[in-house]
Amino acid sequence: MNDRAGKIQLGIGAIVAAVLFVAVVIPNFVSAPSNVPNVILSPRFWPNAIALFTGLTGIGLLLTALRHPEDERETPVDVDHRGMALLRLSGVAMVMLATVYAMPRLGLVWTTMVAFIAVAFLVRTHHPVSAVISAVAIPLLLYAFFAHVAGVAIPQGEIVRLP
């Protein structure tokens, strides 16, 4: 499969997933009270936002793929990297298990920082400084918003507690 065909398939898949989530999954499986005063605090807001961004990403992939001329050359699949891919997939599964184990002890914010950094280096990011900055800044900013602005209780750990 060439790069253009892969982008087209990925774009169509993202659009189908977004439509499926907006039309079926979120309305049927995400419960939300009808009297939420602020739309951002509704439990359906962020799943809908993520589905919308997924659909926009799919449209962007389709437009990018259709704008470039078709390349008939196939991209060879390097079979030697399959073992490393399975090893990284196993590593991500271990990070997920460790996250579930560490969440009650460290709390949501600290656990997500460590998990983000672990996954970033597990997949061998080309931007390690950005990954570490994002791993620290995003959970702290989300905590500050939800705990202090929205008034939502964020799970704290037994070891370190945030203000």
Side-chain angles (χ1 to χ4, degrees):
M1 172 180 3
N2 59 27
D3 191 43
R4 182 176 189 249
K7 284 182 182 178
I8 290 173
Q9 288 177 357
L10 196 58
I12 291 171
I15 293 169
V16 168
V19 169
L20 182 68
F21 269 84
V22 169
V24 178
V25 175
I26 295 170
N28 292 325
F29 296 105
V30 178
S31 61
S34 60
N35 60 350
V36 176
N38 192 347
V39 70
I40 294 176
L41 298 178
S42 172
R44 289 187 178 168
F45 177 77
W46 290 111
N48 278 319
I50 291 170
L52 175 71
F53 292 138
T54 301
L56 290 174
T57 301
I59 291 170
L61 281 168
L62 273 178
L63 292 176
T64 301
L66 295 175
R67 198 175 75 193
H68 294 292
E70 188 170 347
D71 186 11
E72 295 298 328
R73 293 177 290 151
E74 295 262 337
T75 305
V77 177
D78 193 358
V79 181
D80 295 337
H81 293 294
R82 193 170 286 167
M84 286 302 292
L86 289 174
L87 189 62
R88 278 198 288 286
L89 183 63
S90 300
V92 169
M94 296 303 292
V95 168
M96 289 179 187
L97 288 173
T99 301
V100 170
Y101 176 76
M103 190 80 61
R105 290 153 188 81
L106 295 178
L108 182 67
V109 177
W110 301 105
T111 305
T112 55
M113 286 181 192
V114 173
F116 191 105
I117 291 171
V119 170
F121 287 107
L122 190 64
V123 298
R124 295 186 300 184
T125 180
H126 294 291
H127 308 284
V129 174
S130 299
V132 171
I133 291 171
S134 297
V136 172
I138 292 171
L140 285 176
L141 289 172
L142 287 172
Y143 170 77
F145 172 77
F146 282 107
H148 299 293
V149 176
V152 177
I154 303 296
Q156 295 285 326
E158 299 168 358
I159 300 171
V160 180
R161 296 181 96 47
L162 293 170

